[in-house]
Amino acid sequence: MIYLDHLASTPLDPLVLEAMLPWMRQEAAGNPHAAHAAGWRAADAIEQARAEVAALVGAQPGEVAFTSGATEANTLALLGGVPPGGGCVVSAVEHASVLGCLPELRRRGHPVVMLPVDGAGRVDPAGLERALAELPGAALVSVMAANNEVGTVQPLAELSAVAARHGAPMHSDAVQALSTRMLDMAALGLHGLSLSGHKLYGPMGIGALIVRRPFRPVPASAGGGQQRGMRGGTLPTPLCVGLGAACRLARERREEDARRIAELRDRLWRQLRERLPGIRRNGAAEGGEGLAGCLNVTIPGIDAADRLLDLPDLAVATGSACHSGAGEPSHVLLALGLSAADAHASLRFGLGRGTTVAEVDAAAERLVGLLTD
Ligand code: PMP
């Protein structure tokens, strides 16, 4: 298997697994909220993990709420974080976990504005300025750090400066950016940030919403009041420890990973461009700001989902990316101005920490072989 789908999910780093294993064994059993030695040990491990998660984005441990993943974190930020009577501004290229909250916000009477993007997938800060000027009262602004389909990196610092001028808190879905990019919430002017374990070489089923004052979303599950009431429910010690280890590794490795992975991405693009006439690259232009591991291309005339069935051992995503199987053209590619036909003729390669030169060359070889047969 050549695994080039790291933007959908990253494999668990062996060091993360090692950190988790002791907490999955019987001798470590103990509810981290219980008042006895087993509980205290688990609680200590979770607090260390919380500090690692906070350190990755320059936040304080008390600002981290563990969730089941980024979908829950985004839902908490949006459904719990829009001020009463206020509006909500998001970009047209947000993940489905953000866009999926909008009907409920509208039902509750909040005005919702969706900002368009340019041909590279970038949100224009002047567009945010206009949107906020027209909205009554304070609004929550939510714009992702980097897009999961085309890799475009958004100008977060500029956008949050605009939001701040209008007294609006700024949230960002940073799921895709954190494995290869430095993100400091204070420097970027962010009040909320969502992340996910399985996009960071950590475990599936865990993520976090990080909240900084004055942003304080209303919790969806109060439960037993855990995590200072932000999100009730018994914390899963092994998953929290795994996320903490993954965040520590990301901090240590992101720079080196980004350099190496971007080189591999450029190598893959060179090979495809030379051998597949008419191929186009979507999102951040060559040499521009884009996610190190993301290469999204259109090969006009092909039905990507259909052709990939002939290469089951090559894991890449098609133009409907995260909703593969749904058959709908990607809303992200449409927002960039692609036709539905071109969206269906698009492929997304997601390179990661374990990707090798040999894999990249073999992937190009197989794809070119299939398409030029
Ligand atoms: N946001 C983005 C940008 C993503 O790529 C994903 C995962 N596809 C999510 C949110 C959802 O994350 P999770 O799987 O942790 O719910």
Side-chain angles (χ1 to χ4, degrees):
M1 165 66 77
I2 301 177
Y3 188 78
L4 296 182
D5 204 13
H6 288 79
L7 276 67
S9 196
T10 49
L12 196 66
D13 191 291
L15 292 173
V16 174
L17 177 63
E18 227 173 88
M20 291 170 69
L21 278 175
W23 297 100
M24 301 178 93
R25 299 209 165 95
Q26 201 182 3
E27 52 276 20
N31 186 319
H33 312 287
H36 49 61
W40 295 327
R41 273 196 296 275
D44 277 352
I46 287 175
E47 290 319 305
Q48 276 178 38
R50 202 187 290 280
E52 294 289 359
V53 175
L56 181 64
V57 295
Q60 295 301 315
E63 296 171 331
V64 175
F66 289 109
T67 62
S68 62
T71 298
E72 186 190 335
N74 285 339
T75 305
L76 180 56
L78 269 90
L79 293 189
V82 178
C88 179
V89 183
V90 302
S91 87
V93 294
E94 295 302 308
H95 186 260
S97 53
V98 167
L99 297 181
C101 294
L102 303 183
E104 174 59 17
L105 286 173
R106 287 198 184 96
R107 197 193 62 75
R108 294 181 191 172
H110 296 286
V112 171
V113 177
M114 207 183 278
L115 298 171
V117 293
D118 65 16
R122 197 170 173 276
V123 177
D124 180 6
L128 176 62
E129 179 77 56
R130 284 192 296 274
L132 287 172
E134 283 171 18
L135 275 177
L140 175 71
V141 178
S142 181
V143 176
M144 67 203 326
N147 184 263
N148 50 302
E149 294 189 38
V150 292
T152 307
V153 173
Q154 299 295 351
L156 285 186
E158 286 168 75
L159 292 168
S160 64
V162 173
R165 277 204 295 281
H166 290 269
M170 173 94 189
H171 164 263
S172 184
D173 171 350
V175 163
Q176 295 290 347
L178 294 170
S179 60
T180 51
R181 301 180 73 88
M182 224 283 264
L183 253 73
D184 181 280
M185 286 183 75
L188 291 171
L190 296 178
H191 303 96
L193 181 146
S194 302
L195 57 85
S196 175
H198 75 111
K199 312 284 172 143
L200 270 174
Y201 309 92
M204 285 177 157
I206 181 113
L209 177 67
I210 302 166
V211 290
R212 303 180 67 234
R213 282 176 199 284
F215 188 49
R216 178 80 189 174
V218 178
S221 55
Q226 292 93 345
Q227 305 201 79
R228 294 164 319 288
M230 272 291 294
R231 194 262 196 177
T234 305
L235 284 169
T237 313
L239 297 181
C240 294
V241 167
L243 182 61
C247 287
R248 187 175 61 249
L249 276 181
R251 206 146 46 97
E252 289 165 8
R253 299 201 178 161
R254 66 190 161 203
E255 222 172 298
E256 165 63 16
D257 276 357
R259 195 192 48 72
R260 203 184 62 80
I261 294 168
E263 268 174 34
L264 290 173
R265 176 203 58 195
D266 294 345
R267 180 184 178 101
L268 178 59
W269 171 232
R270 276 197 306 276
Q271 296 187 38
L272 296 178
R273 191 185 50 193
E274 275 162 23
R275 298 168 68 190
L276 293 172
I279 190 170
R280 292 193 299 267
R281 185 165 170 184
N282 299 314
E286 229 164 317
E289 271 241 290
L291 273 186
C294 182
L295 176 65
N296 189 307
V297 298
T298 300
I299 307 166
I302 70 160
D303 179 335
D306 188 51
R307 297 312 303 269
L308 281 177
L309 292 176
D310 293 330
L311 293 177
D313 288 333
L314 175 62
V316 301
T318 60
S320 39
C322 285
H323 332 278
S324 287
E328 292 294 317
S330 142
H331 71 282
V332 172
L333 295 178
L334 296 182
L336 264 64
L338 270 72
S339 66
D342 278 353
H344 282 302
S346 300
L347 294 174
R348 179 194 69 182
F349 299 88
L351 287 63
R353 192 177 279 166
T355 305
T356 62
V357 170
E359 282 180 321
V360 160
D361 291 356
E365 195 61 45
R366 286 195 205 174
L367 197 65
V368 169
L370 177 80
L371 297 176
T372 54
D373 239 0

